[in-house]
Amino acid sequence: MDIISRKRPKPSPHEALVEVDYAGLCGSDAGIYEFESAFERMNLPTVIGHEYSGHIVETGDAVTKFDVGDRVVERPIRGCGDCYQCEIGESNVCQNSVITGVDHDGAYEPFIAVPEKALHQVPDGVEQQHAAMVEPTSIGARAVIQNSRVSAGDRILIEGPGPIGLLTAQIARAQGGDVVVSGVGQDADYRLPLAEELGFETINIATDDLNLCREEFTDNIGYDVVFDTTGHPSGLSSAVEEVRKGGQIVLIGQTGETTMEYSPLVRAEIDLQCSYASMYGDFENALRLIDSGDVDAETFIDDRFSLLNADEAFESFVGGQTCKPVFDVSELRS
């Protein structure tokens, strides 16, 4: 991680130039920081960051939907528009997608040129700092609203109190679920207390008896829906232990390789559903959830960190000492 000088981008005819106001730190950004194998395709050096809010300062000649001064966020997974998945409305799993901050420069810089079709307007009721967490909120919104069976009265377990976990927990609660959040030992200092501040019961799997917790929270039946947001190989096998027979597991975290017995899933007729990224409608839901307060952006955001000392934020994130750092990008312009 280093700070370098770069020229201000010039938007093409179909792009808008966005002045970045706030940018969040995502788990995938931390994966890039540790340079996990998934990011070997990156053409370094690359400006990272894809969760951000900004305002338009210049538009290309062919831009028609946005004007200078509009507040916007970006949908950072850009589908090709031509493959089978894009044609049938599944651009989040486009065969040829590119991702902002991975395949091309991202938002940890003062200005970014963005195709008009990737931009999303921010309504007046959403504060600009809060808008920087629309993208991760949209991932939780897709997982809960589109891909889960959560309904009023359901007992829900969220495995992992990271950013996506705590956003998913808030959205599942807004859908009427009775939500519990679990974490590991390193989550005890910051992330589990944050979950409690957001109003959730919590489980520390390093110290709590999971059997007793299951009995307390579900009458020993098991959870109706378990969301695995851990990104750890143990998440799925743990979810199988916690979900009720006939229940649902929703995988959001990307665990890599894991080994387990699958016969118990078949015998219990457990629904195993994956959820990846988000699309236009999920961004709309995310903005409404933040605007309504169902997602508590003010409590969730951690604004203690600066891009001028980015390593501090990334090390704290990797160590579980923060959950959703949001940087004031205006510091880079001063």
Short mmCIF file of all heavy atoms in Angstrom, two decimals, residues 211-275:
data_model
loop_
_atom_site.label_atom_id
_atom_site.label_comp_id
_atom_site.label_asym_id
_atom_site.label_seq_id
_atom_site.Cartn_x
_atom_site.Cartn_y
_atom_site.Cartn_z
N ASN A 211 -24.55 -26.11 21.95
CA ASN A 211 -25.75 -26.93 22.19
C ASN A 211 -26.71 -26.20 23.12
O ASN A 211 -27.93 -26.18 22.88
CB ASN A 211 -25.36 -28.27 22.78
CG ASN A 211 -24.61 -29.14 21.80
OD1 ASN A 211 -24.86 -29.10 20.60
ND2 ASN A 211 -23.66 -29.92 22.29
N LEU A 212 -26.18 -25.58 24.16
CA LEU A 212 -27.03 -24.82 25.08
C LEU A 212 -27.63 -23.60 24.39
O LEU A 212 -28.80 -23.26 24.61
CB LEU A 212 -26.24 -24.40 26.32
CG LEU A 212 -25.83 -25.52 27.28
CD1 LEU A 212 -24.99 -24.96 28.43
CD2 LEU A 212 -27.07 -26.24 27.82
N CYS A 213 -26.84 -22.94 23.56
CA CYS A 213 -27.35 -21.78 22.83
C CYS A 213 -28.47 -22.18 21.88
O CYS A 213 -29.49 -21.49 21.78
CB CYS A 213 -26.21 -21.12 22.06
SG CYS A 213 -24.97 -20.31 23.10
N ARG A 214 -28.29 -23.30 21.18
CA ARG A 214 -29.33 -23.77 20.26
C ARG A 214 -30.60 -24.09 21.02
O ARG A 214 -31.72 -23.80 20.57
CB ARG A 214 -28.84 -24.99 19.50
CG ARG A 214 -29.72 -25.39 18.32
CD ARG A 214 -29.26 -26.67 17.65
NE ARG A 214 -27.83 -26.71 17.45
CZ ARG A 214 -27.01 -27.54 18.11
NH1 ARG A 214 -27.50 -28.42 18.99
NH2 ARG A 214 -25.71 -27.52 17.88
N GLU A 215 -30.45 -24.70 22.18
CA GLU A 215 -31.62 -25.01 23.01
C GLU A 215 -32.31 -23.74 23.47
O GLU A 215 -33.54 -23.63 23.43
CB GLU A 215 -31.19 -25.85 24.21
CG GLU A 215 -32.35 -26.28 25.09
CD GLU A 215 -31.91 -27.20 26.22
OE1 GLU A 215 -30.75 -27.65 26.21
OE2 GLU A 215 -32.74 -27.46 27.10
N GLU A 216 -31.51 -22.74 23.87
CA GLU A 216 -32.08 -21.48 24.37
C GLU A 216 -32.80 -20.70 23.28
O GLU A 216 -33.91 -20.20 23.48
CB GLU A 216 -30.97 -20.61 24.97
CG GLU A 216 -31.45 -19.23 25.42
CD GLU A 216 -30.31 -18.36 25.91
OE1 GLU A 216 -29.16 -18.86 26.00
OE2 GLU A 216 -30.56 -17.17 26.19
N PHE A 217 -32.18 -20.61 22.11
CA PHE A 217 -32.71 -19.74 21.07
C PHE A 217 -33.72 -20.42 20.15
O PHE A 217 -34.52 -19.74 19.50
CB PHE A 217 -31.57 -19.16 20.23
CG PHE A 217 -30.68 -18.22 20.99
CD1 PHE A 217 -29.32 -18.45 21.09
CD2 PHE A 217 -31.19 -17.09 21.62
CE1 PHE A 217 -28.48 -17.59 21.79
CE2 PHE A 217 -30.38 -16.21 22.33
CZ PHE A 217 -29.02 -16.46 22.42
N THR A 218 -33.71 -21.76 20.08
CA THR A 218 -34.59 -22.44 19.13
C THR A 218 -35.37 -23.59 19.74
O THR A 218 -35.98 -24.37 19.00
CB THR A 218 -33.78 -23.00 17.93
OG1 THR A 218 -33.07 -24.17 18.35
CG2 THR A 218 -32.80 -21.98 17.39
N ASP A 219 -35.37 -23.72 21.08
CA ASP A 219 -36.01 -24.86 21.73
C ASP A 219 -35.41 -26.18 21.24
O ASP A 219 -36.09 -27.20 21.18
CB ASP A 219 -37.52 -24.86 21.51
CG ASP A 219 -38.19 -23.63 22.10
OD1 ASP A 219 -37.77 -23.18 23.19
OD2 ASP A 219 -39.11 -23.09 21.45
N ASN A 220 -34.14 -26.12 20.87
CA ASN A 220 -33.37 -27.28 20.39
C ASN A 220 -33.87 -27.83 19.05
O ASN A 220 -33.53 -28.96 18.67
CB ASN A 220 -33.32 -28.40 21.43
CG ASN A 220 -32.00 -29.14 21.40
OD1 ASN A 220 -30.97 -28.55 21.06
ND2 ASN A 220 -32.00 -30.41 21.75
N ILE A 221 -34.65 -27.04 18.34
CA ILE A 221 -35.13 -27.46 17.02
C ILE A 221 -34.08 -27.17 15.96
O ILE A 221 -33.90 -27.93 15.00
CB ILE A 221 -36.44 -26.73 16.66
CG1 ILE A 221 -37.55 -27.16 17.63
CG2 ILE A 221 -36.85 -26.98 15.22
CD1 ILE A 221 -38.82 -26.34 17.52
N GLY A 222 -33.35 -26.08 16.12
CA GLY A 222 -32.42 -25.59 15.11
C GLY A 222 -32.97 -24.34 14.45
O GLY A 222 -34.17 -24.05 14.50
N TYR A 223 -32.10 -23.59 13.83
CA TYR A 223 -32.49 -22.33 13.21
C TYR A 223 -33.18 -22.57 11.87
O TYR A 223 -32.80 -23.47 11.12
CB TYR A 223 -31.26 -21.44 13.01
CG TYR A 223 -30.59 -21.07 14.30
CD1 TYR A 223 -29.57 -21.86 14.83
CD2 TYR A 223 -30.98 -19.94 15.03
CE1 TYR A 223 -28.95 -21.53 16.03
CE2 TYR A 223 -30.37 -19.62 16.24
CZ TYR A 223 -29.36 -20.41 16.73
OH TYR A 223 -28.77 -20.10 17.93
N ASP A 224 -34.18 -21.76 11.58
CA ASP A 224 -34.89 -21.89 10.31
C ASP A 224 -33.98 -21.56 9.13
O ASP A 224 -34.03 -22.23 8.09
CB ASP A 224 -36.11 -20.95 10.28
CG ASP A 224 -37.13 -21.32 11.34
OD1 ASP A 224 -37.74 -22.39 11.22
OD2 ASP A 224 -37.29 -20.55 12.32
N VAL A 225 -33.17 -20.52 9.29
CA VAL A 225 -32.23 -20.12 8.24
C VAL A 225 -30.90 -19.77 8.90
O VAL A 225 -30.87 -19.06 9.91
CB VAL A 225 -32.73 -18.91 7.43
CG1 VAL A 225 -31.75 -18.57 6.30
CG2 VAL A 225 -34.11 -19.17 6.85
N VAL A 226 -29.81 -20.28 8.34
CA VAL A 226 -28.46 -19.92 8.78
C VAL A 226 -27.75 -19.26 7.61
O VAL A 226 -27.70 -19.81 6.51
CB VAL A 226 -27.66 -21.15 9.25
CG1 VAL A 226 -26.24 -20.73 9.64
CG2 VAL A 226 -28.35 -21.84 10.41
N PHE A 227 -27.21 -18.05 7.85
CA PHE A 227 -26.41 -17.35 6.85
C PHE A 227 -24.94 -17.52 7.23
O PHE A 227 -24.52 -17.12 8.32
CB PHE A 227 -26.75 -15.86 6.82
CG PHE A 227 -28.11 -15.55 6.28
CD1 PHE A 227 -29.22 -15.51 7.14
CD2 PHE A 227 -28.31 -15.28 4.94
CE1 PHE A 227 -30.48 -15.21 6.66
CE2 PHE A 227 -29.57 -14.98 4.45
CZ PHE A 227 -30.66 -14.95 5.31
N ASP A 228 -24.17 -18.12 6.33
CA ASP A 228 -22.73 -18.26 6.56
C ASP A 228 -22.02 -17.11 5.86
O ASP A 228 -21.89 -17.09 4.64
CB ASP A 228 -22.22 -19.60 6.03
CG ASP A 228 -20.70 -19.73 6.14
OD1 ASP A 228 -20.09 -18.95 6.90
OD2 ASP A 228 -20.14 -20.61 5.46
N THR A 229 -21.55 -16.14 6.65
CA THR A 229 -20.82 -15.00 6.10
C THR A 229 -19.36 -15.03 6.52
O THR A 229 -18.65 -14.04 6.36
CB THR A 229 -21.45 -13.67 6.56
OG1 THR A 229 -21.15 -13.44 7.95
CG2 THR A 229 -22.95 -13.68 6.37
N THR A 230 -18.91 -16.16 7.06
CA THR A 230 -17.59 -16.22 7.69
C THR A 230 -16.44 -16.15 6.70
O THR A 230 -15.37 -15.64 7.01
CB THR A 230 -17.43 -17.50 8.51
OG1 THR A 230 -17.52 -18.63 7.63
CG2 THR A 230 -18.50 -17.61 9.58
N GLY A 231 -16.63 -16.74 5.50
CA GLY A 231 -15.51 -16.88 4.59
C GLY A 231 -14.47 -17.86 5.09
O GLY A 231 -13.33 -17.86 4.63
N HIS A 232 -14.87 -18.73 6.01
CA HIS A 232 -13.95 -19.70 6.61
C HIS A 232 -14.44 -21.11 6.29
O HIS A 232 -15.66 -21.35 6.28
CB HIS A 232 -13.85 -19.50 8.12
CG HIS A 232 -12.76 -20.29 8.78
ND1 HIS A 232 -12.95 -21.59 9.19
CD2 HIS A 232 -11.49 -19.96 9.08
CE1 HIS A 232 -11.82 -22.04 9.73
NE2 HIS A 232 -10.92 -21.07 9.67
N PRO A 233 -13.53 -22.07 6.06
CA PRO A 233 -13.98 -23.43 5.72
C PRO A 233 -14.88 -24.08 6.75
O PRO A 233 -15.66 -24.97 6.42
CB PRO A 233 -12.65 -24.20 5.58
CG PRO A 233 -11.66 -23.16 5.20
CD PRO A 233 -12.07 -21.92 5.93
N SER A 234 -14.81 -23.65 8.01
CA SER A 234 -15.64 -24.26 9.05
C SER A 234 -17.08 -23.76 9.03
O SER A 234 -17.95 -24.34 9.68
CB SER A 234 -15.03 -23.98 10.43
OG SER A 234 -15.07 -22.58 10.71
N GLY A 235 -17.34 -22.68 8.29
CA GLY A 235 -18.66 -22.07 8.34
C GLY A 235 -19.78 -22.97 7.87
O GLY A 235 -20.84 -23.05 8.50
N LEU A 236 -19.57 -23.67 6.76
CA LEU A 236 -20.62 -24.52 6.22
C LEU A 236 -20.90 -25.70 7.13
O LEU A 236 -22.06 -26.02 7.42
CB LEU A 236 -20.25 -24.99 4.82
CG LEU A 236 -21.24 -25.95 4.15
CD1 LEU A 236 -22.63 -25.35 4.08
CD2 LEU A 236 -20.74 -26.34 2.76
N SER A 237 -19.86 -26.38 7.59
CA SER A 237 -20.08 -27.55 8.46
C SER A 237 -20.76 -27.14 9.75
O SER A 237 -21.61 -27.86 10.28
CB SER A 237 -18.75 -28.27 8.73
OG SER A 237 -17.82 -27.38 9.32
N SER A 238 -20.41 -25.96 10.28
CA SER A 238 -21.07 -25.46 11.48
C SER A 238 -22.54 -25.14 11.20
O SER A 238 -23.42 -25.43 12.02
CB SER A 238 -20.35 -24.21 11.98
OG SER A 238 -21.04 -23.62 13.06
N ALA A 239 -22.81 -24.57 10.03
CA ALA A 239 -24.19 -24.25 9.67
C ALA A 239 -25.06 -25.50 9.60
O ALA A 239 -26.23 -25.48 10.00
CB ALA A 239 -24.22 -23.52 8.33
N VAL A 240 -24.49 -26.60 9.10
CA VAL A 240 -25.23 -27.86 9.03
C VAL A 240 -25.63 -28.33 10.43
O VAL A 240 -26.72 -28.88 10.63
CB VAL A 240 -24.39 -28.93 8.31
CG1 VAL A 240 -25.08 -30.29 8.35
CG2 VAL A 240 -24.15 -28.52 6.86
N GLU A 241 -24.76 -28.10 11.40
CA GLU A 241 -25.06 -28.49 12.78
C GLU A 241 -26.17 -27.62 13.39
O GLU A 241 -26.94 -28.09 14.23
CB GLU A 241 -23.80 -28.37 13.65
CG GLU A 241 -22.69 -29.34 13.28
CD GLU A 241 -23.08 -30.78 13.55
OE1 GLU A 241 -23.79 -31.02 14.55
OE2 GLU A 241 -22.67 -31.66 12.77
N GLU A 242 -26.25 -26.36 12.95
CA GLU A 242 -27.15 -25.41 13.61
C GLU A 242 -28.53 -25.30 12.95
O GLU A 242 -29.50 -24.94 13.60
CB GLU A 242 -26.49 -24.02 13.64
CG GLU A 242 -25.19 -23.96 14.42
CD GLU A 242 -25.37 -24.37 15.87
OE1 GLU A 242 -26.42 -24.05 16.46
OE2 GLU A 242 -24.47 -25.03 16.42
N VAL A 243 -28.62 -25.59 11.65
CA VAL A 243 -29.88 -25.41 10.95
C VAL A 243 -30.85 -26.55 11.32
O VAL A 243 -30.43 -27.68 11.60
CB VAL A 243 -29.64 -25.36 9.42
CG1 VAL A 243 -29.28 -26.73 8.87
CG2 VAL A 243 -30.84 -24.77 8.70
N ARG A 244 -32.13 -26.25 11.32
CA ARG A 244 -33.12 -27.30 11.60
C ARG A 244 -33.30 -28.20 10.40
O ARG A 244 -32.97 -27.84 9.26
CB ARG A 244 -34.47 -26.68 11.99
CG ARG A 244 -35.18 -25.96 10.86
CD ARG A 244 -36.61 -25.64 11.25
NE ARG A 244 -37.30 -24.85 10.23
CZ ARG A 244 -37.89 -25.33 9.15
NH1 ARG A 244 -37.84 -26.64 8.90
NH2 ARG A 244 -38.51 -24.54 8.30
N LYS A 245 -33.84 -29.39 10.61
CA LYS A 245 -34.22 -30.24 9.48
C LYS A 245 -35.26 -29.51 8.63
O LYS A 245 -36.21 -28.93 9.15
CB LYS A 245 -34.78 -31.56 9.98
CG LYS A 245 -33.73 -32.48 10.60
CD LYS A 245 -34.29 -33.85 10.89
CE LYS A 245 -33.18 -34.80 11.38
NZ LYS A 245 -33.67 -36.18 11.57
N GLY A 246 -35.05 -29.53 7.33
CA GLY A 246 -35.95 -28.81 6.43
C GLY A 246 -35.67 -27.33 6.35
O GLY A 246 -36.40 -26.60 5.68
N GLY A 247 -34.59 -26.88 7.01
CA GLY A 247 -34.25 -25.46 7.00
C GLY A 247 -33.38 -25.09 5.82
O GLY A 247 -33.19 -25.87 4.87
N GLN A 248 -32.84 -23.88 5.88
CA GLN A 248 -32.07 -23.35 4.75
C GLN A 248 -30.74 -22.79 5.24
O GLN A 248 -30.66 -22.14 6.29
CB GLN A 248 -32.84 -22.23 4.04
CG GLN A 248 -32.13 -21.68 2.81
CD GLN A 248 -32.80 -20.44 2.25
OE1 GLN A 248 -33.27 -19.58 2.99
NE2 GLN A 248 -32.86 -20.35 0.92
N ILE A 249 -29.69 -23.05 4.46
CA ILE A 249 -28.38 -22.43 4.65
C ILE A 249 -28.12 -21.53 3.45
O ILE A 249 -28.25 -21.97 2.31
CB ILE A 249 -27.26 -23.48 4.77
CG1 ILE A 249 -27.48 -24.37 5.99
CG2 ILE A 249 -25.89 -22.80 4.85
CD1 ILE A 249 -26.55 -25.57 6.04
N VAL A 250 -27.76 -20.28 3.71
CA VAL A 250 -27.42 -19.35 2.64
C VAL A 250 -25.93 -19.03 2.76
O VAL A 250 -25.49 -18.50 3.78
CB VAL A 250 -28.25 -18.06 2.72
CG1 VAL A 250 -27.88 -17.12 1.56
CG2 VAL A 250 -29.74 -18.37 2.67
N LEU A 251 -25.17 -19.36 1.72
CA LEU A 251 -23.73 -19.11 1.69
C LEU A 251 -23.46 -17.78 1.02
O LEU A 251 -23.80 -17.58 -0.15
CB LEU A 251 -23.01 -20.22 0.92
CG LEU A 251 -23.04 -21.63 1.51
CD1 LEU A 251 -22.33 -22.59 0.57
CD2 LEU A 251 -22.38 -21.65 2.87
N ILE A 252 -22.85 -16.87 1.79
CA ILE A 252 -22.45 -15.57 1.25
C ILE A 252 -20.93 -15.46 1.24
O ILE A 252 -20.32 -15.03 0.27
CB ILE A 252 -23.06 -14.41 2.07
CG1 ILE A 252 -24.56 -14.59 2.24
CG2 ILE A 252 -22.76 -13.08 1.39
CD1 ILE A 252 -25.19 -13.56 3.14
N GLY A 253 -20.29 -15.85 2.35
CA GLY A 253 -18.85 -15.82 2.43
C GLY A 253 -18.23 -16.83 1.49
O GLY A 253 -18.77 -17.93 1.28
N GLN A 254 -17.09 -16.48 0.93
CA GLN A 254 -16.38 -17.37 0.00
C GLN A 254 -15.29 -18.10 0.77
O GLN A 254 -14.26 -17.53 1.10
CB GLN A 254 -15.81 -16.56 -1.16
CG GLN A 254 -16.92 -15.87 -1.95
CD GLN A 254 -16.39 -15.04 -3.11
OE1 GLN A 254 -15.53 -15.48 -3.87
NE2 GLN A 254 -16.90 -13.83 -3.24
N THR A 255 -15.54 -19.38 1.03
CA THR A 255 -14.72 -20.13 1.97
C THR A 255 -13.50 -20.78 1.35
O THR A 255 -12.63 -21.26 2.07
CB THR A 255 -15.56 -21.24 2.61
OG1 THR A 255 -15.97 -22.17 1.59
CG2 THR A 255 -16.80 -20.70 3.26
N GLY A 256 -13.43 -20.85 0.04
CA GLY A 256 -12.38 -21.65 -0.57
C GLY A 256 -12.73 -23.13 -0.45
O GLY A 256 -13.90 -23.52 -0.53
N GLU A 257 -11.75 -23.97 -0.20
CA GLU A 257 -11.97 -25.42 -0.15
C GLU A 257 -12.38 -25.85 1.25
O GLU A 257 -11.81 -25.43 2.25
CB GLU A 257 -10.69 -26.15 -0.55
CG GLU A 257 -10.85 -27.67 -0.64
CD GLU A 257 -9.60 -28.35 -1.13
OE1 GLU A 257 -8.67 -27.65 -1.58
OE2 GLU A 257 -9.54 -29.60 -1.08
N THR A 258 -13.40 -26.69 1.31
CA THR A 258 -13.83 -27.25 2.59
C THR A 258 -14.24 -28.71 2.39
O THR A 258 -14.69 -29.09 1.31
CB THR A 258 -15.00 -26.45 3.20
OG1 THR A 258 -15.30 -26.95 4.50
CG2 THR A 258 -16.25 -26.54 2.34
N THR A 259 -14.08 -29.50 3.42
CA THR A 259 -14.41 -30.92 3.36
C THR A 259 -15.41 -31.26 4.45
O THR A 259 -15.21 -30.89 5.62
CB THR A 259 -13.14 -31.79 3.55
OG1 THR A 259 -12.20 -31.45 2.52
CG2 THR A 259 -13.48 -33.26 3.46
N MET A 260 -16.48 -31.95 4.08
CA MET A 260 -17.50 -32.33 5.05
C MET A 260 -18.36 -33.43 4.46
O MET A 260 -18.30 -33.72 3.26
CB MET A 260 -18.37 -31.12 5.42
CG MET A 260 -19.04 -30.47 4.23
SD MET A 260 -20.23 -29.21 4.68
CE MET A 260 -21.57 -30.23 5.28
N GLU A 261 -19.18 -34.04 5.30
CA GLU A 261 -20.15 -35.03 4.84
C GLU A 261 -21.41 -34.32 4.36
O GLU A 261 -21.92 -33.43 5.04
CB GLU A 261 -20.51 -35.99 5.97
CG GLU A 261 -19.38 -36.94 6.38
CD GLU A 261 -19.87 -38.00 7.36
OE1 GLU A 261 -21.04 -38.43 7.23
OE2 GLU A 261 -19.10 -38.36 8.25
N TYR A 262 -21.88 -34.70 3.19
CA TYR A 262 -23.08 -34.07 2.64
C TYR A 262 -24.34 -34.91 2.83
O TYR A 262 -25.46 -34.42 2.64
CB TYR A 262 -22.87 -33.76 1.15
CG TYR A 262 -21.92 -32.61 0.94
CD1 TYR A 262 -20.55 -32.84 0.84
CD2 TYR A 262 -22.38 -31.30 0.90
CE1 TYR A 262 -19.67 -31.78 0.68
CE2 TYR A 262 -21.51 -30.24 0.73
CZ TYR A 262 -20.15 -30.48 0.62
OH TYR A 262 -19.29 -29.44 0.46
N SER A 263 -24.18 -36.16 3.25
CA SER A 263 -25.36 -36.99 3.48
C SER A 263 -26.32 -36.41 4.50
O SER A 263 -27.54 -36.48 4.32
CB SER A 263 -24.93 -38.40 3.90
OG SER A 263 -24.24 -39.05 2.85
N PRO A 264 -25.82 -35.80 5.61
CA PRO A 264 -26.75 -35.20 6.57
C PRO A 264 -27.64 -34.13 5.95
O PRO A 264 -28.79 -33.97 6.35
CB PRO A 264 -25.83 -34.62 7.64
CG PRO A 264 -24.60 -35.47 7.58
CD PRO A 264 -24.43 -35.78 6.13
N LEU A 265 -27.12 -33.38 4.96
CA LEU A 265 -27.94 -32.37 4.30
C LEU A 265 -29.07 -33.02 3.52
O LEU A 265 -30.21 -32.55 3.54
CB LEU A 265 -27.09 -31.53 3.33
CG LEU A 265 -26.27 -30.39 3.91
CD1 LEU A 265 -25.03 -30.89 4.61
CD2 LEU A 265 -25.90 -29.39 2.81
N VAL A 266 -28.74 -34.12 2.84
CA VAL A 266 -29.75 -34.80 2.03
C VAL A 266 -30.82 -35.42 2.93
O VAL A 266 -32.03 -35.26 2.69
CB VAL A 266 -29.10 -35.88 1.15
CG1 VAL A 266 -30.15 -36.65 0.36
CG2 VAL A 266 -28.08 -35.25 0.21
N ARG A 267 -30.37 -36.10 3.98
CA ARG A 267 -31.33 -36.79 4.86
C ARG A 267 -32.22 -35.80 5.61
O ARG A 267 -33.36 -36.15 5.96
CB ARG A 267 -30.58 -37.67 5.85
CG ARG A 267 -29.91 -38.89 5.21
CD ARG A 267 -29.53 -39.91 6.27
NE ARG A 267 -28.52 -39.39 7.19
CZ ARG A 267 -27.21 -39.55 7.04
NH1 ARG A 267 -26.74 -40.22 5.99
NH2 ARG A 267 -26.36 -39.05 7.92
N ALA A 268 -31.72 -34.59 5.84
CA ALA A 268 -32.54 -33.59 6.54
C ALA A 268 -33.23 -32.64 5.57
O ALA A 268 -33.92 -31.72 6.00
CB ALA A 268 -31.65 -32.78 7.49
N GLU A 269 -33.08 -32.88 4.27
CA GLU A 269 -33.66 -32.04 3.22
C GLU A 269 -33.39 -30.56 3.49
O GLU A 269 -34.29 -29.72 3.50
CB GLU A 269 -35.17 -32.29 3.08
CG GLU A 269 -35.69 -31.93 1.70
CD GLU A 269 -37.11 -32.38 1.45
OE1 GLU A 269 -38.03 -31.85 2.11
OE2 GLU A 269 -37.31 -33.26 0.59
N ILE A 270 -32.12 -30.26 3.68
CA ILE A 270 -31.69 -28.88 3.91
C ILE A 270 -31.47 -28.19 2.57
O ILE A 270 -30.83 -28.72 1.67
CB ILE A 270 -30.40 -28.87 4.77
CG1 ILE A 270 -30.72 -29.36 6.18
CG2 ILE A 270 -29.79 -27.46 4.82
CD1 ILE A 270 -29.50 -29.63 7.02
N ASP A 271 -32.00 -27.00 2.47
CA ASP A 271 -31.86 -26.19 1.27
C ASP A 271 -30.55 -25.42 1.36
O ASP A 271 -30.35 -24.60 2.26
CB ASP A 271 -33.05 -25.23 1.18
CG ASP A 271 -32.96 -24.27 0.00
OD1 ASP A 271 -32.08 -24.45 -0.85
OD2 ASP A 271 -33.77 -23.33 -0.05
N LEU A 272 -29.62 -25.68 0.42
CA LEU A 272 -28.33 -24.99 0.38
C LEU A 272 -28.35 -23.99 -0.77
O LEU A 272 -28.42 -24.37 -1.94
CB LEU A 272 -27.20 -26.01 0.19
CG LEU A 272 -25.77 -25.49 0.24
CD1 LEU A 272 -25.48 -24.82 1.57
CD2 LEU A 272 -24.79 -26.63 -0.02
N GLN A 273 -28.33 -22.70 -0.42
CA GLN A 273 -28.47 -21.63 -1.41
C GLN A 273 -27.24 -20.73 -1.37
O GLN A 273 -26.79 -20.33 -0.30
CB GLN A 273 -29.72 -20.79 -1.08
CG GLN A 273 -29.86 -19.51 -1.88
CD GLN A 273 -30.22 -19.76 -3.33
OE1 GLN A 273 -31.11 -20.56 -3.62
NE2 GLN A 273 -29.54 -19.09 -4.25
N CYS A 274 -26.71 -20.40 -2.53
CA CYS A 274 -25.59 -19.45 -2.62
C CYS A 274 -26.12 -18.07 -3.00
O CYS A 274 -27.15 -17.94 -3.67
CB CYS A 274 -24.57 -19.91 -3.65
SG CYS A 274 -23.78 -21.48 -3.23
N SER A 275 -25.41 -17.04 -2.57
CA SER A 275 -25.78 -15.67 -2.91
C SER A 275 -24.51 -14.89 -3.21
O SER A 275 -23.59 -14.85 -2.39
CB SER A 275 -26.55 -15.02 -1.74
OG SER A 275 -27.09 -13.77 -2.12
#
